[in-house]
Amino acid sequence: MFLTRYERMIARRYLLPGRGEAFIFLVASISLVAVMLGVAALVVVMSVMNGFRVDLFDKIVGLNGHAVVQGYNGQLRDWQEIVQDARKTRGVTTAIPLIEKPLFAAFQGRTEAVLLRGMRMEDIEKNATIRDNIKQGSLASLKPGNKTIAIGSRLAEALGATVGSQVSLISVEGHATPFGTVPRIVSYRVGAIFEVGVYDYDKAFVLMPMQDAQTLLLMGNSVGMVEVNTTNPDKVEQILAPLAQKYADVAQVTTWKMMNRQLFEALKVDRLVTFTVLSIIILVAVFNILSSLIMLVRAKTRDIAILRTMGAPRKSLVKIFMTVGTTIGALGIGAGLVLGFVFIYFRQGVVNFIGFVSGQQIWDPSMRYLTTLPARTDPVEVLGIVVMAMVFSILATLYPALKAASTDPVQVLRYE
């Protein structure tokens, strides 16, 4: 929609307040602020929800892989063959044997339920989720036979343990005696403390070399499962279908979708509902633009009539008032984007400030899985928000613009 010189001049004049038009300008300003807040809210909330999903997925998959091949009885005796076949499967990038077992950890009278994970040292060192999140100590201290473990930061807080502490791991599957099964209790030195950023993992995970885990759990040379990563997490079922079919008698293939289906489905529903609700805020803001334009048309009826008698075509009036309305919407969208990105950049500081002022813990890691407020802005989503807000703004200008164009100069100027 190209404007002539006089159309641009008139549109610019109508955007600025005239004598006796302060109220119209106030309504237009409120419209601009409302659009700004609606766009900012959409950008912030969608970015946070995207960040929550992406961070949660990366951390969960970083520790659990895209799928696991797990023995029906909790053990895989021929795991070497499964690892080799998995690595030969097209689309599989890694296949890692590991042991996972729920146990109890005790230190100075405190006891916590933990999840023991035994891995080969080369696999531990290659795992970026653990390797890049060591807070205290070093993974180099974890050596087979050294009786050294790494624990999560939340677990360390709950037990009151630090690097160098002797933590006892308790396995209820101990030795059988004439008086019953005696729990197996072995002390290990804490060599490292990690924090991956997922509360449940930091609260429960205990990491040790696989040989030590096999000795503690009396598993011999067997493992509990084989963790598999693929080139495409969304097609993990199709990629691992041949492997699942081949070992259907001894093991079950469980994908990340099966393990976390309810969580990610809930996130998807929340994301859709939130987008719909916040879009209504923009729609309400756009109605303010409609109201301000209607008021402007009524205030400028005499000017419109004079323009018509001077030969201004109806099309010019439509373009002038559509330009005024879309300019208000565009300024609101631009300000909303700036406000949204500023909020995203300082999001953790804002959360901490609100918590400090209110005296409440706004972001509780025990309830929200992640220890910090995440954000991941999707350019396509931002573009969609901008387009949606702009379309709403343009639609809001149609009725006032057409109403102005239909003004009859004869009726307006009859009594002038």
Side-chain angles (χ1 to χ4, degrees):
M1 183 173 61
F2 297 100
L3 301 178
T4 62
R5 184 177 179 181
Y6 87 90
E7 290 170 349
R8 287 197 301 271
M9 180 189 68
I10 297 174
R12 191 184 309 112
R13 172 67 184 83
Y14 285 175
L15 280 170
L16 300 175
R19 182 178 301 176
E21 299 171 356
F23 184 72
I24 298 176
F25 179 74
L26 176 63
V27 174
S29 300
I30 293 174
S31 304
L32 189 150
V33 172
V35 173
M36 175 188 72
L37 294 177
V39 170
L42 258 179
V43 170
V44 170
V45 172
M46 298 308 294
S47 296
V48 168
M49 296 196 73
N50 281 339
F52 191 87
R53 183 185 183 280
V54 172
D55 281 15
L56 196 61
F57 175 80
D58 289 344
K59 293 180 189 317
I60 288 176
V61 170
L63 287 176
N64 296 324
H66 296 161
V68 293
V69 182
Q70 188 170 15
Y72 290 122
N73 61 351
Q75 293 190 23
L76 290 175
R77 301 190 182 279
D78 299 328
W79 58 271
Q80 294 93 339
E81 180 183 350
I82 296 176
V83 168
Q84 291 177 1
D85 286 344
R87 289 174 177 171
K88 294 177 182 177
T89 302
R90 186 174 183 180
V92 173
T93 56
T94 60
I96 301 170
L98 55 87
I99 297 171
E100 277 193 358
K101 190 73 173 179
L103 301 176
F104 291 96
F107 178 71
Q108 294 183 349
R110 301 182 186 181
T111 305
E112 294 287 336
V114 300
L115 183 63
L116 172 68
R117 169 168 285 203
M119 299 174 64
R120 296 180 302 184
M121 283 306 303
E122 57 266 30
D123 296 327
I124 294 176
E125 293 168 355
K126 291 178 182 178
N127 192 308
T129 304
I130 298 174
R131 182 193 64 218
D132 297 341
N133 292 286
I134 300 297
K135 297 300 180 182
Q136 299 178 34
S138 173
L139 289 177
S141 61
L142 274 67
K143 297 180 180 179
N146 201 24
K147 285 193 174 182
T148 305
I149 59 175
I151 64 176
S153 58
R154 303 289 176 175
L155 177 60
E157 292 176 5
L159 293 175
T162 59
V163 173
S165 300
Q166 293 289 331
V167 174
S168 298
L169 295 183
I170 306 169
S171 173
V172 296
E173 297 179 0
H175 293 288
T177 69
F179 303 99
T181 302
V182 177
R184 184 173 174 80
I185 304 175
V186 181
S187 294
Y188 294 88
R189 187 180 71 87
V190 177
I193 296 176
F194 58 85
E195 183 175 315
V196 299
V198 179
Y199 181 86
D200 289 351
Y201 293 161
D202 293 333
K203 183 69 164 54
F205 259 46
V206 173
L207 187 66
M208 68 167 55
M210 181 179 291
Q211 294 91 326
D212 291 351
Q214 291 171 331
T215 301
L216 173 63
L217 301 175
L218 306 176
M219 294 180 64
N221 191 40
S222 62
V223 301
M225 63 188 71
V226 174
E227 175 190 291
V228 180
N229 285 300
T230 63
T231 54
N232 189 342
D234 294 326
K235 297 182 178 180
V236 63
E237 294 94 344
Q238 297 92 314
I239 294 174
L240 297 183
L243 196 68
Q245 184 177 2
K246 181 176 181 179
Y247 293 99
D249 295 336
V250 296
Q252 179 182 8
V253 175
T254 306
T255 67
W256 68 270
K257 295 180 181 179
M258 299 176 185
M259 291 185 282
N260 306 281
R261 183 183 302 275
Q262 292 181 341
L263 175 60
F264 285 100
E265 286 295 330
L267 288 176
K268 187 183 297 184
V269 173
D270 287 347
R271 188 166 171 270
L272 178 61
V273 172
T274 302
F275 182 84
T276 303
V277 172
L278 292 180
S279 297
I280 295 175
I281 296 177
I282 297 180
L283 188 60
V284 172
V286 165
F287 275 109
N288 288 333
I289 297 178
L290 174 65
S291 302
S292 64
L293 284 181
I294 291 176
M295 295 170 61
L296 182 63
V297 170
R298 291 184 63 86
K300 299 296 184 181
T301 301
R302 186 172 179 272
D303 293 358
I304 295 170
I306 294 174
L307 288 173
R308 292 283 292 119
T309 57
M310 294 176 64
R314 296 178 186 271
K315 183 171 67 174
S316 293
L317 295 174
V318 171
K319 290 195 292 182
I320 289 170
F321 283 95
M322 286 188 68
T323 299
V324 173
T326 52
T327 300
I328 295 173
L331 291 175
I333 293 170
L337 292 176
V338 173
L339 179 63
F341 291 140
V342 169
F343 188 94
I344 290 171
Y345 185 79
F346 295 104
R347 63 188 182 280
Q348 195 59 46
V350 173
V351 170
N352 295 338
F353 175 76
I354 295 174
F356 174 77
V357 172
S358 64
Q360 302 292 326
Q361 188 176 11
I362 305 300
W363 187 265
D364 187 357
S366 63
M367 297 176 59
R368 308 189 186 278
Y369 297 98
L370 301 179
T371 54
T372 58
L373 180 66
R376 186 72 63 90
T377 303
D378 184 354
V380 176
E381 277 189 353
V382 173
L383 180 61
I385 293 170
V386 170
V387 170
M388 179 189 68
M390 204 64 201
V391 168
F392 284 170
S393 300
I394 293 172
L395 291 177
T397 65
L398 290 178
Y399 174 75
L402 294 174
K403 186 70 175 176
S406 63
T407 300
D408 186 356
V410 175
Q411 294 296 328
V412 174
L413 300 176
R414 174 177 295 176
Y415 303 105
E416 292 292 335

PDB file of all heavy atoms in Angstrom, residues 156-182:
ATOM      1  N   ALA A 156      24.246 -34.213  47.482  1.00  0.00           N
ATOM      2  CA  ALA A 156      25.308 -33.804  48.399  1.00  0.00           C
ATOM      3  C   ALA A 156      24.765 -32.875  49.481  1.00  0.00           C
ATOM      4  O   ALA A 156      25.122 -32.989  50.659  1.00  0.00           O
ATOM      5  CB  ALA A 156      26.427 -33.122  47.616  1.00  0.00           C
ATOM      6  N   GLU A 157      23.862 -31.961  49.090  1.00  0.00           N
ATOM      7  CA  GLU A 157      23.259 -31.066  50.073  1.00  0.00           C
ATOM      8  C   GLU A 157      22.394 -31.837  51.065  1.00  0.00           C
ATOM      9  O   GLU A 157      22.416 -31.562  52.269  1.00  0.00           O
ATOM     10  CB  GLU A 157      22.413 -30.011  49.362  1.00  0.00           C
ATOM     11  CG  GLU A 157      23.215 -29.016  48.535  1.00  0.00           C
ATOM     12  CD  GLU A 157      22.325 -28.058  47.772  1.00  0.00           C
ATOM     13  OE1 GLU A 157      21.087 -28.119  47.981  1.00  0.00           O
ATOM     14  OE2 GLU A 157      22.838 -27.256  46.977  1.00  0.00           O
ATOM     15  N   ALA A 158      21.604 -32.791  50.537  1.00  0.00           N
ATOM     16  CA  ALA A 158      20.709 -33.551  51.415  1.00  0.00           C
ATOM     17  C   ALA A 158      21.484 -34.402  52.420  1.00  0.00           C
ATOM     18  O   ALA A 158      21.069 -34.544  53.577  1.00  0.00           O
ATOM     19  CB  ALA A 158      19.792 -34.442  50.566  1.00  0.00           C
ATOM     20  N   LEU A 159      22.617 -34.959  51.982  1.00  0.00           N
ATOM     21  CA  LEU A 159      23.423 -35.794  52.876  1.00  0.00           C
ATOM     22  C   LEU A 159      24.392 -34.974  53.717  1.00  0.00           C
ATOM     23  O   LEU A 159      24.894 -35.459  54.739  1.00  0.00           O
ATOM     24  CB  LEU A 159      24.215 -36.820  52.055  1.00  0.00           C
ATOM     25  CG  LEU A 159      23.412 -37.908  51.337  1.00  0.00           C
ATOM     26  CD1 LEU A 159      24.337 -38.755  50.467  1.00  0.00           C
ATOM     27  CD2 LEU A 159      22.678 -38.801  52.340  1.00  0.00           C
ATOM     28  N   GLY A 160      24.676 -33.762  53.274  1.00  0.00           N
ATOM     29  CA  GLY A 160      25.695 -32.960  53.947  1.00  0.00           C
ATOM     30  C   GLY A 160      27.100 -33.409  53.602  1.00  0.00           C
ATOM     31  O   GLY A 160      28.040 -33.198  54.367  1.00  0.00           O
ATOM     32  N   ALA A 161      27.241 -34.033  52.427  1.00  0.00           N
ATOM     33  CA  ALA A 161      28.533 -34.584  52.015  1.00  0.00           C
ATOM     34  C   ALA A 161      29.271 -33.606  51.112  1.00  0.00           C
ATOM     35  O   ALA A 161      28.664 -32.792  50.412  1.00  0.00           O
ATOM     36  CB  ALA A 161      28.336 -35.915  51.289  1.00  0.00           C
ATOM     37  N   THR A 162      30.576 -33.690  51.123  1.00  0.00           N
ATOM     38  CA  THR A 162      31.432 -32.898  50.250  1.00  0.00           C
ATOM     39  C   THR A 162      32.460 -33.828  49.613  1.00  0.00           C
ATOM     40  O   THR A 162      32.488 -35.038  49.895  1.00  0.00           O
ATOM     41  CB  THR A 162      32.156 -31.795  51.036  1.00  0.00           C
ATOM     42  OG1 THR A 162      32.955 -32.408  52.070  1.00  0.00           O
ATOM     43  CG2 THR A 162      31.158 -30.836  51.673  1.00  0.00           C
ATOM     44  N   VAL A 163      33.302 -33.269  48.733  1.00  0.00           N
ATOM     45  CA  VAL A 163      34.365 -34.068  48.127  1.00  0.00           C
ATOM     46  C   VAL A 163      35.288 -34.582  49.237  1.00  0.00           C
ATOM     47  O   VAL A 163      35.757 -33.821  50.084  1.00  0.00           O
ATOM     48  CB  VAL A 163      35.161 -33.237  47.109  1.00  0.00           C
ATOM     49  CG1 VAL A 163      36.378 -34.005  46.611  1.00  0.00           C
ATOM     50  CG2 VAL A 163      34.268 -32.849  45.932  1.00  0.00           C
ATOM     51  N   GLY A 164      35.513 -35.889  49.236  1.00  0.00           N
ATOM     52  CA  GLY A 164      36.335 -36.519  50.264  1.00  0.00           C
ATOM     53  C   GLY A 164      35.531 -37.238  51.326  1.00  0.00           C
ATOM     54  O   GLY A 164      36.095 -38.029  52.106  1.00  0.00           O
ATOM     55  N   SER A 165      34.202 -36.976  51.381  1.00  0.00           N
ATOM     56  CA  SER A 165      33.359 -37.655  52.374  1.00  0.00           C
ATOM     57  C   SER A 165      33.214 -39.130  52.040  1.00  0.00           C
ATOM     58  O   SER A 165      33.224 -39.520  50.864  1.00  0.00           O
ATOM     59  CB  SER A 165      31.976 -36.992  52.435  1.00  0.00           C
ATOM     60  OG  SER A 165      32.063 -35.638  52.798  1.00  0.00           O
ATOM     61  N   GLN A 166      33.066 -39.954  53.080  1.00  0.00           N
ATOM     62  CA  GLN A 166      32.845 -41.382  52.907  1.00  0.00           C
ATOM     63  C   GLN A 166      31.350 -41.670  53.006  1.00  0.00           C
ATOM     64  O   GLN A 166      30.756 -41.593  54.086  1.00  0.00           O
ATOM     65  CB  GLN A 166      33.612 -42.172  53.977  1.00  0.00           C
ATOM     66  CG  GLN A 166      35.119 -42.105  53.857  1.00  0.00           C
ATOM     67  CD  GLN A 166      35.638 -42.901  52.651  1.00  0.00           C
ATOM     68  OE1 GLN A 166      35.025 -43.885  52.227  1.00  0.00           O
ATOM     69  NE2 GLN A 166      36.769 -42.464  52.109  1.00  0.00           N
ATOM     70  N   VAL A 167      30.733 -41.963  51.872  1.00  0.00           N
ATOM     71  CA  VAL A 167      29.293 -42.220  51.801  1.00  0.00           C
ATOM     72  C   VAL A 167      29.071 -43.721  51.666  1.00  0.00           C
ATOM     73  O   VAL A 167      29.731 -44.382  50.852  1.00  0.00           O
ATOM     74  CB  VAL A 167      28.659 -41.478  50.613  1.00  0.00           C
ATOM     75  CG1 VAL A 167      27.195 -41.853  50.457  1.00  0.00           C
ATOM     76  CG2 VAL A 167      28.805 -39.976  50.799  1.00  0.00           C
ATOM     77  N   SER A 168      28.144 -44.267  52.455  1.00  0.00           N
ATOM     78  CA  SER A 168      27.834 -45.697  52.406  1.00  0.00           C
ATOM     79  C   SER A 168      26.666 -45.942  51.456  1.00  0.00           C
ATOM     80  O   SER A 168      25.633 -45.263  51.546  1.00  0.00           O
ATOM     81  CB  SER A 168      27.476 -46.225  53.800  1.00  0.00           C
ATOM     82  OG  SER A 168      28.567 -46.088  54.684  1.00  0.00           O
ATOM     83  N   LEU A 169      26.845 -46.889  50.542  1.00  0.00           N
ATOM     84  CA  LEU A 169      25.773 -47.316  49.652  1.00  0.00           C
ATOM     85  C   LEU A 169      25.216 -48.632  50.166  1.00  0.00           C
ATOM     86  O   LEU A 169      25.971 -49.566  50.464  1.00  0.00           O
ATOM     87  CB  LEU A 169      26.283 -47.478  48.223  1.00  0.00           C
ATOM     88  CG  LEU A 169      26.771 -46.196  47.534  1.00  0.00           C
ATOM     89  CD1 LEU A 169      27.174 -46.494  46.100  1.00  0.00           C
ATOM     90  CD2 LEU A 169      25.701 -45.112  47.565  1.00  0.00           C
ATOM     91  N   ILE A 170      23.887 -48.704  50.261  1.00  0.00           N
ATOM     92  CA  ILE A 170      23.227 -49.860  50.863  1.00  0.00           C
ATOM     93  C   ILE A 170      22.386 -50.560  49.805  1.00  0.00           C
ATOM     94  O   ILE A 170      21.484 -49.957  49.209  1.00  0.00           O
ATOM     95  CB  ILE A 170      22.329 -49.421  52.029  1.00  0.00           C
ATOM     96  CG1 ILE A 170      23.142 -48.596  53.040  1.00  0.00           C
ATOM     97  CG2 ILE A 170      21.689 -50.612  52.702  1.00  0.00           C
ATOM     98  CD1 ILE A 170      22.296 -47.905  54.085  1.00  0.00           C
ATOM     99  N   SER A 171      22.680 -51.820  49.569  1.00  0.00           N
ATOM    100  CA  SER A 171      21.916 -52.648  48.635  1.00  0.00           C
ATOM    101  C   SER A 171      21.170 -53.715  49.425  1.00  0.00           C
ATOM    102  O   SER A 171      21.782 -54.471  50.184  1.00  0.00           O
ATOM    103  CB  SER A 171      22.838 -53.304  47.607  1.00  0.00           C
ATOM    104  OG  SER A 171      22.117 -54.228  46.801  1.00  0.00           O
ATOM    105  N   VAL A 172      19.853 -53.739  49.239  1.00  0.00           N
ATOM    106  CA  VAL A 172      19.056 -54.736  49.982  1.00  0.00           C
ATOM    107  C   VAL A 172      19.272 -56.136  49.442  1.00  0.00           C
ATOM    108  O   VAL A 172      18.954 -57.119  50.122  1.00  0.00           O
ATOM    109  CB  VAL A 172      17.558 -54.366  49.928  1.00  0.00           C
ATOM    110  CG1 VAL A 172      17.301 -53.057  50.627  1.00  0.00           C
ATOM    111  CG2 VAL A 172      17.054 -54.304  48.480  1.00  0.00           C
ATOM    112  N   GLU A 173      19.815 -56.265  48.235  1.00  0.00           N
ATOM    113  CA  GLU A 173      20.089 -57.575  47.653  1.00  0.00           C
ATOM    114  C   GLU A 173      21.511 -57.984  48.043  1.00  0.00           C
ATOM    115  O   GLU A 173      22.442 -57.932  47.251  1.00  0.00           O
ATOM    116  CB  GLU A 173      19.919 -57.524  46.130  1.00  0.00           C
ATOM    117  CG  GLU A 173      18.505 -57.193  45.690  1.00  0.00           C
ATOM    118  CD  GLU A 173      18.380 -57.116  44.194  1.00  0.00           C
ATOM    119  OE1 GLU A 173      19.399 -57.326  43.505  1.00  0.00           O
ATOM    120  OE2 GLU A 173      17.285 -56.839  43.696  1.00  0.00           O
ATOM    121  N   GLY A 174      21.660 -58.382  49.283  1.00  0.00           N
ATOM    122  CA  GLY A 174      22.973 -58.756  49.786  1.00  0.00           C
ATOM    123  C   GLY A 174      23.173 -60.260  49.807  1.00  0.00           C
ATOM    124  O   GLY A 174      22.658 -60.993  48.956  1.00  0.00           O
ATOM    125  N   HIS A 175      23.895 -60.737  50.808  1.00  0.00           N
ATOM    126  CA  HIS A 175      24.189 -62.162  50.929  1.00  0.00           C
ATOM    127  C   HIS A 175      23.086 -62.857  51.698  1.00  0.00           C
ATOM    128  O   HIS A 175      22.550 -62.334  52.676  1.00  0.00           O
ATOM    129  CB  HIS A 175      25.520 -62.364  51.657  1.00  0.00           C
ATOM    130  CG  HIS A 175      26.703 -61.869  50.873  1.00  0.00           C
ATOM    131  ND1 HIS A 175      27.174 -62.514  49.761  1.00  0.00           N
ATOM    132  CD2 HIS A 175      27.488 -60.776  51.043  1.00  0.00           C
ATOM    133  CE1 HIS A 175      28.220 -61.844  49.276  1.00  0.00           C
ATOM    134  NE2 HIS A 175      28.426 -60.786  50.053  1.00  0.00           N
ATOM    135  N   ALA A 176      22.752 -64.081  51.277  1.00  0.00           N
ATOM    136  CA  ALA A 176      21.758 -64.890  51.987  1.00  0.00           C
ATOM    137  C   ALA A 176      22.434 -65.623  53.134  1.00  0.00           C
ATOM    138  O   ALA A 176      23.511 -66.210  52.973  1.00  0.00           O
ATOM    139  CB  ALA A 176      21.108 -65.878  51.031  1.00  0.00           C
ATOM    140  N   THR A 177      21.805 -65.584  54.295  1.00  0.00           N
ATOM    141  CA  THR A 177      22.315 -66.267  55.500  1.00  0.00           C
ATOM    142  C   THR A 177      21.187 -67.088  56.105  1.00  0.00           C
ATOM    143  O   THR A 177      20.016 -66.937  55.717  1.00  0.00           O
ATOM    144  CB  THR A 177      22.824 -65.236  56.526  1.00  0.00           C
ATOM    145  OG1 THR A 177      21.695 -64.505  57.042  1.00  0.00           O
ATOM    146  CG2 THR A 177      23.800 -64.257  55.896  1.00  0.00           C
ATOM    147  N   PRO A 178      21.510 -67.933  57.056  1.00  0.00           N
ATOM    148  CA  PRO A 178      20.435 -68.697  57.724  1.00  0.00           C
ATOM    149  C   PRO A 178      19.402 -67.800  58.392  1.00  0.00           C
ATOM    150  O   PRO A 178      18.284 -68.226  58.667  1.00  0.00           O
ATOM    151  CB  PRO A 178      21.201 -69.534  58.751  1.00  0.00           C
ATOM    152  CG  PRO A 178      22.569 -69.670  58.188  1.00  0.00           C
ATOM    153  CD  PRO A 178      22.833 -68.393  57.485  1.00  0.00           C
ATOM    154  N   PHE A 179      19.761 -66.566  58.648  1.00  0.00           N
ATOM    155  CA  PHE A 179      18.835 -65.638  59.308  1.00  0.00           C
ATOM    156  C   PHE A 179      18.153 -64.695  58.311  1.00  0.00           C
ATOM    157  O   PHE A 179      17.491 -63.745  58.701  1.00  0.00           O
ATOM    158  CB  PHE A 179      19.596 -64.806  60.349  1.00  0.00           C
ATOM    159  CG  PHE A 179      20.303 -65.642  61.373  1.00  0.00           C
ATOM    160  CD1 PHE A 179      21.649 -65.911  61.257  1.00  0.00           C
ATOM    161  CD2 PHE A 179      19.601 -66.197  62.433  1.00  0.00           C
ATOM    162  CE1 PHE A 179      22.309 -66.695  62.185  1.00  0.00           C
ATOM    163  CE2 PHE A 179      20.253 -66.972  63.381  1.00  0.00           C
ATOM    164  CZ  PHE A 179      21.607 -67.233  63.260  1.00  0.00           C
ATOM    165  N   GLY A 180      18.347 -64.958  57.020  1.00  0.00           N
ATOM    166  CA  GLY A 180      17.747 -64.109  56.002  1.00  0.00           C
ATOM    167  C   GLY A 180      18.809 -63.392  55.180  1.00  0.00           C
ATOM    168  O   GLY A 180      20.014 -63.627  55.338  1.00  0.00           O
ATOM    169  N   THR A 181      18.366 -62.518  54.306  1.00  0.00           N
ATOM    170  CA  THR A 181      19.285 -61.751  53.455  1.00  0.00           C
ATOM    171  C   THR A 181      19.840 -60.559  54.224  1.00  0.00           C
ATOM    172  O   THR A 181      19.085 -59.751  54.786  1.00  0.00           O
ATOM    173  CB  THR A 181      18.561 -61.257  52.189  1.00  0.00           C
ATOM    174  OG1 THR A 181      18.034 -62.373  51.472  1.00  0.00           O
ATOM    175  CG2 THR A 181      19.526 -60.494  51.292  1.00  0.00           C
ATOM    176  N   VAL A 182      21.147 -60.454  54.241  1.00  0.00           N
ATOM    177  CA  VAL A 182      21.814 -59.355  54.922  1.00  0.00           C
ATOM    178  C   VAL A 182      22.125 -58.268  53.893  1.00  0.00           C
ATOM    179  O   VAL A 182      22.786 -58.542  52.889  1.00  0.00           O
ATOM    180  CB  VAL A 182      23.112 -59.833  55.606  1.00  0.00           C
ATOM    181  CG1 VAL A 182      23.832 -58.649  56.249  1.00  0.00           C
ATOM    182  CG2 VAL A 182      22.803 -60.904  56.627  1.00  0.00           C
TER     183      VAL A 182
END
